[in-house]
């Protein structure tokens, strides 16, 4: 049997490790987002734990050269265990059914789920790099691992994302196992390995879904589960059925009492609602009641078409009459784009939940409210749902309501409020009469008959005393509006969703928000000055430079991930492809400079300065409101800068002439990225804002460039 060449085996193992690491990271990121109700705070938690684990593993790998070949399969096996742990987290931490997992009370769960796989990944890279550096070069080992990540990211987004977490991991394990065995001349063993794992993929996914439902303590039996491009959906069996999206209780279907009261009341807010836009409602929940009014056209925006298809398949969407079907127009797409391109509407209803995620924030941002103002008819009305009860307006809940009210008031001259277990903000260009008598008269004129909704209920639904107290609260000094660039409402809604509006989290968030505006830029400024001081002494810390590269790289990644989220709506499936773009630029530049160490070292200050310029371009993107397509080239450039900076720094010699090396460099780079993920993932966009974050990253990069230039003096 012909033996594989060491060069091809080394490349195959590095590609497999990158492939496995990116698939594992994407799966854990999705699982963590689902555990947090879809919150992007999972980005910081998971990425910090993952990158920190990679750094620790790389250091533990030391100078050894054996054992790295088993790394890819072991990473995926440990990731599967982490997925099971995250699904079981509600039971392990005592969460109630439908309650999202807490960041603070489940720290050990995050670490136990993420660190083992990440640590093995870092250890395996160190071993593989040490074994192949003489053949490939330090930069090239990093490049081949990154290019494997490109393939893994694309395969995950295009093929594996819709299969579910367990199935995706098993298919990925089949791929890396086959690659390792074929590279060593064991084709038939590899094919047997693939057959076994593919055979168990679907049953494993069904088992995981059923056990996750049981561990979460949800009512009844699991009826159906599906991973769409936007979220993970779970529906109970029987009727009425309970729908969960990313672990959050979304709706009970059917729920005619709640839906009838809400739907009819909203339609009575406008005297002549001929054209209506509905955003954020669960398909089939409100349309039957809205269409009983004299509506000529009801436009319903559906972001997750997978949810609509699932509800149709299990027959939870109520049947509409042919006449109602004719007036209903379903639009699949981003709400902001739909509003900007459509209209005029007489009534716009924002019926989705509070903006506890960047995805959800898109329908509560000032940008969307401004688009609604433009798209409304002269006598049009905007109705915005806020999941805060008017009976208690203290703490984070009151701050969230005040922030959203300020956002609406920034665009509309008249803003009223309807009290209840959930408050509805009602905005218009002119004065409104929301008295029970006026709405009852509209109901009578429309001659609608409904066994659930009667005009006698209106004085209770529109209680004058509660309404006056609520509007008095809203007349207090305004808070700043929430915008795409600075989504202030996200951190408030996330704290409220965790059910601790007056607890430690709420108070801590207020203090952190005040401190982060000056403490984070100040700390990074001190870091940059420390690097420059080292350059003046011609003894700049190579570990410090690499940590800076990792920190800025994860900062660029989070900035562009947020940009994609606010323009496209979700990164649930696209996270793999976006990561692939970043890794593609990283791998290409590292491979190009891997064997040209003199060029990599000479260009290092220019590359780092280019990172500062890139941060400026990203800042301009947020200021001007860039398009989604521009995120991809910016990520590609970010990866290229990262790869080139890594290649240039790992070949820097100390005073004795010893270079830093790929294994130690990888550990320092990942450690800096872990710190960046923890700080920027939790405090970046929601607290600091995109523009200050971009400017801070730019200053740090320019400081590192000055330090590298000073250290290069002869």
């Amino acid at each position: 049997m012909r033996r594989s060449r060491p060069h091809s085996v080394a490349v195959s193992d590095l590609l497999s490790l990158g492939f496995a690491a990116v698939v594992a990271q994407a799966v854990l990121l999705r699982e963590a987002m689902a555990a947090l109700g879809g919150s992007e705070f999972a980005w910081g938690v998971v990425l910090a734990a993952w990158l920190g684990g990679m750094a620790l593993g790389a250091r533990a790998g030391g100078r050894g050269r054996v054992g790295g070949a088993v790394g890819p399969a072991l990473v995926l096996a440990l990731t599967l265990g982490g997925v099971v742990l995250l699904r079981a987290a509600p039971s392990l931490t005592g969460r109630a059914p439908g309650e999202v997992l807490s960041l603070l009370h489940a720290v050990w769960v995050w670490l136990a789920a993420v660190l083992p796989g990440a640590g093995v990944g870092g250890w395996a890279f160190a071993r593989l790099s040490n074994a192949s550096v003489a053949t490939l070069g330090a930069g090239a080992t990093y490049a081949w691992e990154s290019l494997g990540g490109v393939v893994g990211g694309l395969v995950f987004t295009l093929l594996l994302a819709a299969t579910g977490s367990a199935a995706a991991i098993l298919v990925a394990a089949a791929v890396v196992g086959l690659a390792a065995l074929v590279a060593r001349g064991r084709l038939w063993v590899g094919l047997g390995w693939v057959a076994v794992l593919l055979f168990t993929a679907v049953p494993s996914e069904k088992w995981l879904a059923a056990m996750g439902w049981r561990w979460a303590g949800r009512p009844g039996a699991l009826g159906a589960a599906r991973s769409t491009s936007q979220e993970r959906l779970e529906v109970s069996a029987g009727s009425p059925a309970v729908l969960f999206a990313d672990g959050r209780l979304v709706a009970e279907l059917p729920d005619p009492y709640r839906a009838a009261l809400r739907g009819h009341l909203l339609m009575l807010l406008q005297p002549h609602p001929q054209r209506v836009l509905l955003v954020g409602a669960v398909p089939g929940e409100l349309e039957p009641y809205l269409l009983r009014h004299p509506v000529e056209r009801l436009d319903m925006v559906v972001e997750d078409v997978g949810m609509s298809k699932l509800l149709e398949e299990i027959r939870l969407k109520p049947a509409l009459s042919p006449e109602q079907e004719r007036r209903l127009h379903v639009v699949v797409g981003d709400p902001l784009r739909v509003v900007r391109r459509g209209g005029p509407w007489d009534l716009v209803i924002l019926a989705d939940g509070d903006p506890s995620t960047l995805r959800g924030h898109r329908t509560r941002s000032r940008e969307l409210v401004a688009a609604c103002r433009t798209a409304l008819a002269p006598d049009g009305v905007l109705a915005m749902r806020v999941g805060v009860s008017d009976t208690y307006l203290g703490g984070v809940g009151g701050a969230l309501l005040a922030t959203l009210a300020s956002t609406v008031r920034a665009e509309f001259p008249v803003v009223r409020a309807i009290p209840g277990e959930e408050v509805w903000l009602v905005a218009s260009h002119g004065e409104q009469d929301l008295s029970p008598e006026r709405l009852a008269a509209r109901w009578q004129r429309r001659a609608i008959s409904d066994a659930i909704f009667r005009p006698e209920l209106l004085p209770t639904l529109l209680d004058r005393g509660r309404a006056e107290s609520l509007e008095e609260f809203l007349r207090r000094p305004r808070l700043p509006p929430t915008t795409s660039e600075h989504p202030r409402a996200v951190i408030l809604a996330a704290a409220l969703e965790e059910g601790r509006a007056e607890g430690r989290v709420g108070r801590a968030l207020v203090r952190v928000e005040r401190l982060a505006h000056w403490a984070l830029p100040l700390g990074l400024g001190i870091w940059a000055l420390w690097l420059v001081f080292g350059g003046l002494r011609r003894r700049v810390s190579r570990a410090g430079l690499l940590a800076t590269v990792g920190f800025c790289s994860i900062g660029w990644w989070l900035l562009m991930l947020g940009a994609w989220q606010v323009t496209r709506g979700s990164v649930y499936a696209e996270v793999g492809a976006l990561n692939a773009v970043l890794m593609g630029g990283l791998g290409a530049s590292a491979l190009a400079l891997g064997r040209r160490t003199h060029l990599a070292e000479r260009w290092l200050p220019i590359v780092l300065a280019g990172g500062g310029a890139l941060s400026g371009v990203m800042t301009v993107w947020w200021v001007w409101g860039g398009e989604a397509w521009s995120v991809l080239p910016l990520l590609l450039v970010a990866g290229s800068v990262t790869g080139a900076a890594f290649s240039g720094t790992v070949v820097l010699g100390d005073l004795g002439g010893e270079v830093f090396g790929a294994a130690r460099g990888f550990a320092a780079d990942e450690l800096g990225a872990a710190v960046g993920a923890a700080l920027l993932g939790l405090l970046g966009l929601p607290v600091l804002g995109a523009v200050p974050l971009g400017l801070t990253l730019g200053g740090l990069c320019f400081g590192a460039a000055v330090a590298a230039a000073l250290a290069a003096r002869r």
Side-chain angles (χ1 to χ4, degrees):
M1 181 181 296
R2 186 169 62 90
R3 297 180 62 84
S4 300
R5 293 179 300 162
H7 181 278
S8 63
V9 173
V11 170
S12 174
D13 289 344
L14 287 166
L15 287 171
S16 294
L17 181 61
F19 180 94
V22 167
V23 171
Q25 187 186 94
V27 168
L28 288 171
L29 196 58
R30 293 202 330 168
E31 286 291 326
M33 287 182 69
L36 283 177
S39 173
E40 294 84 5
F41 287 123
W43 297 351
V45 175
V46 172
L47 289 175
W50 179 269
L51 296 168
M54 292 283 281
L56 293 174
R59 288 298 293 167
R63 299 182 182 274
R65 299 187 177 190
V66 297
V70 302
L74 193 53
V75 166
L76 292 168
L78 292 171
T79 298
L80 183 58
V83 169
V84 172
L85 186 59
L86 286 172
R87 293 286 180 99
S91 176
L92 296 173
T93 58
R95 298 289 93 183
E99 188 177 3
V100 298
L101 196 61
S102 166
L103 273 175
L104 296 182
H105 290 177
V107 171
W108 69 270
V109 176
W110 305 108
L111 297 179
V114 178
L115 281 178
V120 168
W123 174 86
F125 177 81
R127 292 301 176 97
L128 292 174
S129 177
N130 293 335
S132 57
V133 67
T135 305
L136 302 177
T141 59
Y142 191 47
W144 286 116
E145 193 266 350
S146 300
L147 292 176
V150 173
V151 178
L154 292 175
V155 168
F156 178 81
T157 294
L158 299 177
L159 299 176
L160 301 181
T163 64
S165 296
I169 291 172
L170 291 174
V171 172
V175 171
V176 299
L178 179 64
L181 292 168
V182 169
R184 290 163 175 81
R186 299 176 180 177
L187 173 62
W188 292 108
V189 177
L191 292 176
W193 168 267
V194 170
V196 170
L197 291 184
L198 293 184
F199 180 77
T200 59
V202 174
S204 298
E205 184 60 36
K206 291 182 178 179
W207 174 86
L208 180 63
M211 294 305 298
W213 181 272
R214 181 184 302 177
W215 289 327
R218 291 170 186 155
L222 176 65
R226 180 168 301 173
S227 290
T228 71
S229 62
Q230 305 275 338
E231 55 204 343
R232 188 177 76 219
L233 301 174
E234 297 162 295
V235 186
S236 65
S239 181
V242 182
L243 172 64
F244 290 86
D246 285 338
R248 291 177 291 107
L249 175 61
V250 174
E252 182 178 306
L253 300 170
D255 187 5
Y257 184 79
R258 178 186 293 269
L261 294 182
R262 180 187 294 175
H264 289 310
L265 179 60
L266 291 172
M267 292 301 292
L268 293 175
L269 298 177
Q270 223 287 345
H272 307 288
Q274 296 180 340
R275 289 174 57 89
V276 178
L277 176 67
L278 176 62
V279 177
V282 174
E285 183 182 21
L286 292 179
E287 307 96 290
Y289 303 98
L290 303 185
L291 289 168
R292 297 183 67 180
H293 292 257
V295 179
E296 293 181 0
R297 179 185 177 104
L298 172 61
D299 293 315
M300 180 177 180
V301 180
V302 174
E303 289 189 76
D304 187 2
V305 69
M307 177 187 288
S308 183
K309 291 180 178 179
L310 176 62
L311 296 178
E312 286 180 359
E313 290 174 9
I314 59 179
R315 300 181 179 180
L316 284 179
K317 287 184 65 175
L320 300 176
S321 68
E323 188 272 338
Q324 289 177 324
E325 291 278 6
R326 179 184 60 80
R327 292 185 288 145
L328 176 63
H329 297 265
V330 177
V331 183
V332 179
D334 172 59
L336 182 57
R337 292 175 181 269
V338 172
V339 173
R340 284 176 172 172
R341 296 173 181 176
W345 289 287
D346 302 303
L347 176 63
V348 174
I349 302 172
L350 304 180
D352 47 340
D354 290 331
S356 59
T357 68
L358 289 178
R359 174 191 170 195
H361 180 266
R362 289 156 45 254
T363 59
R364 296 297 183 272
S365 67
R366 181 173 180 177
E367 289 79 3
L368 184 121
V369 174
C372 289
R373 173 179 53 79
T374 303
L376 280 173
D379 61 344
V381 174
L382 169 68
M384 176 188 289
R385 175 188 174 193
V386 184
V388 175
S389 172
D390 72 294
T391 57
Y392 179 70
L393 296 175
V396 175
L400 174 62
L401 177 59
T403 298
L404 294 178
S406 295
T407 304
V408 177
R409 277 206 173 96
E411 299 295 335
F412 284 90
V414 178
V415 179
R416 303 285 301 278
I418 298 176
E421 289 304 308
E422 55 184 25
V423 171
W424 284 87
L425 298 175
V426 183
S428 62
H429 298 290
E431 290 298 329
Q432 309 171 60
D433 185 354
L434 300 183
S435 65
E437 296 79 12
R438 177 57 62 90
L439 299 192
R442 292 174 185 172
W443 177 266
Q444 297 294 343
R445 284 198 302 270
R446 295 174 191 177
I448 301 172
S449 176
D450 192 300
I452 297 175
F453 186 92
R454 299 186 303 276
E456 291 80 9
L457 293 172
L458 287 171
T460 302
L461 296 175
L462 301 171
D463 183 89
R464 295 183 189 274
R466 293 173 63 180
E468 290 174 359
S469 298
L470 177 59
E471 295 195 359
E472 181 182 353
F473 171 82
L474 296 179
R475 284 193 293 269
R476 295 177 183 177
R478 300 182 184 180
L479 296 177
T482 185
T483 65
S484 296
E485 183 273 323
H486 196 162
R488 295 175 174 86
V490 170
I491 201 165
L492 299 171
L496 183 64
E497 192 168 83
E498 288 191 12
R500 291 186 295 276
E502 274 295 308
R504 291 177 298 170
V505 172
R507 291 191 295 270
L509 289 175
V510 174
R511 290 195 295 268
V512 166
E513 187 170 10
R514 292 171 180 170
L515 288 173
H517 288 288
W518 62 268
L520 188 58
L522 177 62
L524 296 180
I526 293 173
W527 185 352
L529 289 176
W530 171 69
L531 291 175
V532 172
F533 180 71
L536 289 171
R537 300 173 59 208
R538 300 186 185 181
R539 299 182 62 177
V540 65
S541 169
R542 295 168 295 174
L545 282 178
L546 284 164
T548 302
V549 171
F551 187 97
C552 291
S553 177
I554 203 68
W556 297 328
W557 164 246
L558 291 172
L559 271 176
M560 291 296 95
L561 210 61
W564 188 269
Q565 188 90 315
V566 300
T567 53
R568 299 289 295 179
S570 175
V571 296
Y572 189 71
E574 291 91 341
V575 63
L578 294 173
N579 201 12
V581 175
L582 179 77
M583 300 296 283
L586 191 155
S589 61
L591 189 62
L593 295 174
R595 306 293 292 183
R596 301 175 177 85
T597 57
H598 62 291
L599 291 179
E601 184 177 357
R602 184 189 308 167
W603 290 352
L604 180 60
I606 299 174
V607 170
L608 292 171
L614 173 65
S615 301
V617 173
M618 290 183 176
T619 302
V620 171
W621 188 100
W622 281 96
V623 171
W624 287 352
E627 295 291 335
W629 65 265
S630 58
V631 170
L632 301 179
L634 287 173
L635 276 175
L636 188 66
V637 174
S640 300
V641 171
T642 302
F646 179 89
S647 299
T649 308
V650 295
V651 297
L652 287 178
D654 58 14
L655 294 179
E658 182 183 0
V659 299
F660 202 64
R664 286 196 297 165
F666 184 78
D669 175 88
E670 297 295 281
L671 182 60
V675 174
L679 290 177
L680 305 181
L682 296 176
L683 304 178
L685 290 178
V687 175
L688 194 62
V691 171
L693 176 58
L695 294 175
T696 301
L697 292 175
L700 184 58
C701 282
F702 282 122
V706 171
L710 291 172
R713 293 176 302 164
R714 294 291 185 265

